[in-house]
């Protein structure tokens, strides 16, 4: 007998899986969600003493199964300043609550809203909830003998979530049920999202003993958080999973992290990079609280697809080299021996690249966001490849991350790290010394230099921005990125890349 069987008997598991089946059969456009916030919430709950299991994207964003028989089904929302869509949230949760009542689920039900928001959030009162559900029954409807059959024929055959909710509320909602739901409902107001992630990392740091193999405690916590995120996110790629596959058992979760932390493993580098990607996304949102919900949603997907892509990239030493050769501030001589370094030294080298990774991500994400927002008929379902970094990356180049934007006039480009402090000129020359060998046709490199250049010139002269007249295979362009805004409170602004950074002539009137 599995540990899961000890908590849920066969009948209870069948009830839960039947409920999940109803969600899984809905039109995919109803189920498109992000998953970074709920990952953090799920990890936080897994570190609580009373938690036995969690599920992500099963019934709700996070489902928490506690040792005392309580099921917390949680919607996780990020509304830094805008008003939450309380009608949608409350009817979603009541839909799950009412289904649990109809299936006679033998657990204590705890519908919960976990929300990141500056202002107060209050639950609707009974009258408002009656209005939300359009509840017209004062008495409990007649008992359904076989809920699984009834839901399949009456509810699940509807293809849209709102249609399913409306039908269920019309047929089965009644006043006492609504009243019980409000009595069991809970709102948890999360901290500022950056602080919340820091708290989860701190909690992980306390859960696992310190190791002599880590010189930097902040790096250790980043690796712990990255391992935890990776463990959670494995469930998202499963094809038609059942409850047994979806569920995350606390005991196995803790054992996995302890095992990986005890060995010298490439997983440490993967985990570190995964956390850096997540931190950059959260920082971007925190610095742009006025960003519209649609853009937040798109950026959520872009960032999380980036986590998947970049995690896969740095699983190998070759992929790690490809990353650092693109985003490090060092010269070629400092990079060329990377593949021969020990694991410990490679781990340190990757950590040194954090600022370069952040700079790379900001520009890549803003360009991708622009492309999505500028597509007049953009559809989350049809155009999901536009949200994946892999769509824009030419895999035939293995020494650096070569990008091809189909709207651009060149075939090969590279996003290089911003140079914002220190010895700016020498750092630029370091970057030039590496790209001089790779020869991409365009450099996206923040700075005062822009326009047309020749690779036949020495690397020492590249940053002097000498102009040339001919167009041939030895020509490359520097794009100063002034047209792409990535600073605080600038992400709500959408730029037309085809008329700026993808155009052959500089919009500022400089000669190309």
């Amino acid at each position: 007998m599995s540990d899961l069987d000890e908590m849920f008997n066969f009948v209870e598991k069948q009830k839960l899986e039947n409920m999940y089946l109803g969600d899984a059969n809905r039109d995919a456009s109803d189920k498109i969600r992000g998953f970074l916030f709920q990952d953090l919430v799920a990890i936080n709950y897994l570190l609580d003493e009373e938690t036995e299991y969690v599920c992500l994207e099963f019934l709700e964003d996070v489902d928490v199964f506690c040792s005392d028989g309580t099921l917390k089904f949680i919607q996780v929302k990020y509304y830094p300043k805008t008003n939450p869509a309380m009608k949608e949230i409350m009817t979603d949760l009541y839909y799950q609550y009412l289904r649990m009542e109809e299936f006679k689920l033998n657990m204590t039900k705890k519908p919960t809203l976990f929300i990141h928001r500056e202002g107060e959030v209050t639950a609707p009162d009974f009258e408002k909830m009656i209005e939300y559900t359009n509840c017209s029954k004062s008495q409990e409807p007649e008992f359904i003998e076989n809920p699984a059959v009834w839901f399949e024929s009456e509810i699940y055959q509807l293809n849209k979530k709102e249609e399913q909710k409306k039908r269920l509320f019309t047929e089965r909602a009644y006043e006492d049920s609504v009243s019980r739901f409000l009595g069991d409902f809970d709102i948890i107001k999360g901290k500022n999202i950056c602080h919340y992630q820091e708290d989860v990392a701190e909690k992980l740091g306390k859960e696992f003993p310190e190791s002599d193999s880590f010189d930097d405690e902040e790096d250790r916590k980043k690796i712990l958080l990255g391992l935890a995120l990776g463990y959670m996110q494995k469930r998202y790629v499963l094809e038609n999973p059942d409850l047994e596959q979806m569920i995350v058992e606390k005991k196995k979760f803790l054992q996995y992290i302890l095992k990986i932390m005890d060995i010298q493993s490439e997983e440490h580098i993967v985990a570190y990079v995964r956390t850096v990607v997540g931190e950059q996304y959260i920082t971007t949102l925190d610095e742009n609280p006025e960003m519209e919900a649609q853009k937040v949603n798109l950026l959520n997907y872009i960032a999380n697809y980036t986590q998947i892509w970049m995690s896969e990239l740095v699983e190998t030493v070759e992929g790690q080299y490809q990353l650092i050769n693109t985003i490090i501030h060092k010269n070629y001589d400092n990079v060329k021996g990377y593949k021969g370094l020990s694991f410990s030294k490679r781990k340190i080298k990757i950590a040194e690249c954090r600022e370069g990774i952040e700079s790379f991500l900001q520009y890549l994400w803003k360009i991708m966001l622009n492309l999505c927002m500028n597509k007049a008929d953009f559809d989350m379902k049809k155009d999901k490849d536009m949200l994946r970094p892999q769509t824009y990356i030419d895999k035939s180049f293995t020494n650096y991350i070569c990008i091809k934007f189909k709207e651009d006039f060149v075939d090969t480009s590279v996003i290089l790290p911003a140079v914002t402090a220190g010895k700016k000129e020498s750092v630029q020359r370091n970057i030039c010394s590496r790209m001089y060998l790779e020869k991409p046709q365009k450099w996206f490199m923040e700075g005062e230099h822009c326009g047309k250049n020749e690779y036949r010139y020495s690397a020492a002269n590249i940053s002097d921005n000498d102009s040339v007249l001919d167009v041939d295979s030895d020509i490359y362009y520097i794009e100063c990125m002034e047209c792409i805004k990535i600073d605080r409170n600038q992400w709500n602004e959408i730029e037309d890349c085809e008329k700026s950074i993808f155009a052959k002539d500089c919009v500022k009137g400089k000669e190309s």
Side-chain angles (χ1 to χ4, degrees), residues 14 30 41 86 132 137 181 244 284 310-311 364 374 457:
Q14 274 196 320
D30 280 338
V41 171
M86 289 302 291
Y132 283 169
K137 294 181 176 64
F181 167 77
E244 199 86 41
T284 301
M310 201 167 276
S311 296
L364 176 63
N374 282 318
Y457 286 9

Side-chain angles (χ1 to χ4, degrees), residues 57-95:
E57 303 286 4
F58 189 71
L59 300 180
E60 278 299 340
D61 294 333
V62 181
D63 303 314
V64 181
F65 299 91
C66 302
S67 55
D68 65 356
T70 297
L71 168 55
K72 302 174 183 177
F73 48 106
I74 307 168
Q75 280 213 4
V76 181
K77 297 295 183 183
Y78 178 78
Y79 289 96
K81 288 191 175 181
T82 57
N83 293 322
M86 289 302 291
K87 179 178 180 179
E88 179 182 358
I89 292 167
M90 298 302 290
T91 53
D92 280 354
L93 288 170
Y94 180 59
Y95 173 80

Side-chain angles (χ1 to χ4, degrees), residues 231-262:
Y231 191 86
M232 307 304 294
Q233 292 169 0
K234 289 177 182 178
R235 275 79 185 159
Y236 295 122
V237 297
L238 297 174
E239 292 289 336
N240 301 316
D242 57 20
L243 177 62
E244 199 86 41
Q245 295 171 299
M246 291 283 287
I247 206 156
V248 179
E249 182 182 353
K250 179 169 71 174
K251 181 171 67 175
K252 292 180 180 178
F253 167 77
L254 298 177
Q255 287 172 346
Y256 165 80
I257 295 181
L258 186 60
K259 176 183 176 182
I260 300 299
M261 291 298 285
D262 278 347

Side-chain angles (χ1 to χ4, degrees), residues 58-285:
F58 189 71
L59 300 180
E60 278 299 340
D61 294 333
V62 181
D63 303 314
V64 181
F65 299 91
C66 302
S67 55
D68 65 356
T70 297
L71 168 55
K72 302 174 183 177
F73 48 106
I74 307 168
Q75 280 213 4
V76 181
K77 297 295 183 183
Y78 178 78
Y79 289 96
K81 288 191 175 181
T82 57
N83 293 322
M86 289 302 291
K87 179 178 180 179
E88 179 182 358
I89 292 167
M90 298 302 290
T91 53
D92 280 354
L93 288 170
Y94 180 59
Y95 173 80
Q96 304 293 9
Y97 188 91
L98 187 53
R99 285 202 300 169
M100 293 176 194
E101 289 199 326
E102 295 294 338
F103 277 98
K104 309 297 183 188
L105 191 67
N106 190 28
M107 305 192 78
T108 301
K109 302 176 288 295
K110 194 68 179 174
T112 304
L113 169 62
F114 190 104
I115 187 166
H116 298 277
R117 177 170 165 75
E118 292 182 7
E120 290 301 315
V121 182
T122 57
D125 59 21
F126 176 77
E127 286 74 20
K128 180 60 71 173
M129 196 66 201
I130 292 294
E131 177 188 326
Y132 283 169
T133 60
N134 199 25
C135 176
S136 60
K137 294 181 176 64
S138 59
Q139 301 297 320
E140 182 176 4
E142 186 177 342
F143 173 74
I144 297 175
E145 186 172 345
N146 192 329
V149 173
W150 185 87
F151 271 88
E152 180 64 34
S153 63
E154 299 296 326
I155 306 298
Y156 299 160
Q157 50 90 17
L158 298 171
N159 202 33
K160 293 288 185 180
K161 182 177 182 180
E162 288 305 312
E163 293 174 358
Q164 291 183 348
K165 291 195 301 185
K166 182 179 179 180
R167 174 72 63 82
L168 181 61
F169 296 161
T170 298
E171 297 293 332
R172 306 300 298 175
Y174 62 104
E175 292 178 358
D176 282 353
S177 172
V178 172
S179 181
R180 286 195 299 273
F181 167 77
L182 289 173
D184 293 332
F185 175 70
D186 191 19
I187 295 178
I188 300 174
K189 185 182 172 186
K191 290 185 175 182
N192 165 287
I193 187 64
C194 291
H195 295 158
Y196 184 73
Q197 177 165 275
E198 290 171 1
D199 286 352
V200 174
E202 186 70 26
K203 201 170 178 179
L204 281 163
K206 292 178 180 178
E207 181 71 28
F208 297 93
E210 295 186 21
S211 169
D212 294 337
S213 62
F214 293 91
D215 296 326
D216 189 290
E217 175 61 13
E218 289 306 308
D219 286 350
R220 188 180 82 91
K221 287 189 289 190
K222 279 184 170 59
I223 291 171
L224 281 168
L225 183 59
L227 289 173
L229 288 170
Y231 191 86
M232 307 304 294
Q233 292 169 0
K234 289 177 182 178
R235 275 79 185 159
Y236 295 122
V237 297
L238 297 174
E239 292 289 336
N240 301 316
D242 57 20
L243 177 62
E244 199 86 41
Q245 295 171 299
M246 291 283 287
I247 206 156
V248 179
E249 182 182 353
K250 179 169 71 174
K251 181 171 67 175
K252 292 180 180 178
F253 167 77
L254 298 177
Q255 287 172 346
Y256 165 80
I257 295 181
L258 186 60
K259 176 183 176 182
I260 300 299
M261 291 298 285
D262 278 347
I263 59 177
Q264 296 286 309
S265 167
E266 301 301 332
E267 271 293 312
H268 290 192
I269 290 176
V270 173
Y272 180 87
V273 171
R274 185 183 292 120
T275 296
V276 171
V277 174
E279 286 180 340
Q280 182 56 53
Y281 169 59
I282 285 174
T283 298
T284 301
L285 293 187

Side-chain angles (χ1 to χ4, degrees), residues 468-479:
V468 295
L469 300 176
D470 300 326
V471 177
D472 57 35
S473 60
D474 209 37
I475 299 298
Y476 71 97
Y477 295 80
I478 295 179
E479 168 54 57

